[in-house]
Amino acid sequence: MRTYIGHQQAVSAEDFVELALGTPVELWLGVEGETEMERAARLDAARDILADPEYRSLPDDVARIAAEVIEAHAPELFNVVPLARPTRRRRSSWKGAAA
């Protein structure tokens, strides 16, 4: 099954996020091994995008998308299993074995 957002096909989760935000995820999160100069340029571009009136709702959109993902995957994210507490052994049984 193919999924399209507008005229773009979304193949992966990254595609969905990029199409929903209108910008590549790497712009906001960076890439492994980037230099200080690359990081500065990336952050400068991100500031320019946030200053653009077209993207004023971007922080709200990101929060909404994150909330939807958390809600959709809450059972897996919060699958906490309580561990049984260890019980103390009675010392009286040890006395008989030592004697």
Side-chain angles (χ1 to χ4, degrees), residues 41-94:
R42 178 179 57 77
L43 293 176
D44 190 42
R47 278 189 288 278
D48 288 346
I49 288 173
L50 289 174
D52 187 329
E54 182 181 341
Y55 288 97
R56 283 217 175 113
S57 66
L58 186 62
D60 294 333
D61 293 342
V62 170
R64 179 184 46 78
I65 291 168
E68 289 173 0
V69 168
I70 290 169
E71 182 179 31
H73 298 284
E76 296 90 19
L77 291 172
F78 301 110
N79 187 11
V80 179
V81 178
L83 298 175
R85 291 184 149 218
T87 57
R88 295 182 91 183
R89 292 187 178 188
R90 296 175 61 182
R91 298 200 114 206
S92 60
S93 63
W94 289 81

Side-chain angles (χ1 to χ4, degrees), residues 15-49:
D15 288 346
F16 280 104
V17 173
E18 184 172 334
L19 291 169
L21 297 176
T23 61
V25 175
E26 292 82 12
L27 176 68
W28 309 104
L29 301 180
V31 293
E32 189 174 331
E34 72 182 354
T35 65
E36 284 299 317
M37 186 181 287
E38 291 169 332
R39 182 177 188 271
R42 178 179 57 77
L43 293 176
D44 190 42
R47 278 189 288 278
D48 288 346
I49 288 173

